[in-house]
Amino acid sequence: MNDTFTMLLATAVMTSFTTLLLAYVFYVLFVRKRLEKRMLELAENVQERVKQGAIDAGTELLPRFREQVTEGFKRALREWSTNDFRTITKTGMGMVEESLSSLLGARPKRPSDDD
C-alpha cells in the first residue's frame, strides 16, 4: 500500500514536471519570438502616435501661445511707466558692469562713484 502511494506520487510529480517542461519548450521555440516581434511593432506604433500627437498639439497650440506672449508684453509695456524702465535699465546696466569688471579685473566702484 505504501509502495503504491509512493509510486503514484512519483508518477504525478514526473508527469507535472514533464508537462511544465514541454510547455516551456513550446513557449521558447514558438511563442516568445512572435510575442517579442509583436511587442516591438506595438512599441513602434505607440511611439509614432505619441510623436505625431505631440507635433499636432504643438502646431495647434503654438500660434495661440505666441499671441498670448505678445499680448502680455504689450500689456506690460503699456502699464509700466518711463521711470520704471529707467530704473530697470539702470539696474541691469549696473549688474552687467559689475560682472564685466570682475571678469576683466577692474577695481570695484566705490559707493561715492555713483552719480
Side-chain angles (χ1 to χ4, degrees):
M1 176 94 166
N2 208 6
D3 289 337
T4 307
F5 180 73
T6 305
M7 188 64 98
L8 184 63
L9 184 62
T11 304
V13 168
M14 291 296 288
T15 305
S16 297
F17 179 74
T18 304
T19 304
L20 185 62
L21 182 65
L22 287 174
Y24 178 74
V25 168
F26 178 77
Y27 169 77
V28 168
L29 292 178
F30 300 107
V31 177
R32 182 171 27 182
K33 291 178 183 177
R34 289 181 183 172
L35 282 177
E36 288 176 356
K37 182 180 177 183
R38 180 69 178 142
M39 287 177 61
L40 286 174
E41 290 172 358
L42 289 173
E44 290 173 2
N45 189 4
V46 167
Q47 182 180 7
E48 186 61 35
R49 284 183 177 184
V50 168
K51 181 179 177 181
Q52 189 59 44
I55 290 170
D56 292 345
T59 302
E60 179 183 329
L61 297 175
L62 188 59
R64 190 169 66 207
F65 178 71
R66 284 183 177 165
E67 289 174 11
Q68 290 174 346
V69 169
T70 303
E71 182 58 36
F73 274 107
K74 288 179 181 177
R75 186 174 30 140
L77 290 174
R78 284 192 305 263
E79 292 175 0
W80 283 1
S81 68
T82 306
N83 194 24
D84 291 338
F85 281 120
R86 285 187 187 134
T87 304
I88 291 171
T89 305
K90 194 172 185 180
T91 303
M93 285 175 39
M95 291 182 350
V96 170
E97 182 181 6
E98 288 176 16
S99 298
L100 288 175
S101 295
S102 65
L103 284 173
L104 299 175
R107 288 186 312 159
K109 287 178 105 181
R110 292 180 299 194
S112 62
D113 289 345
D114 290 341
D115 296 316

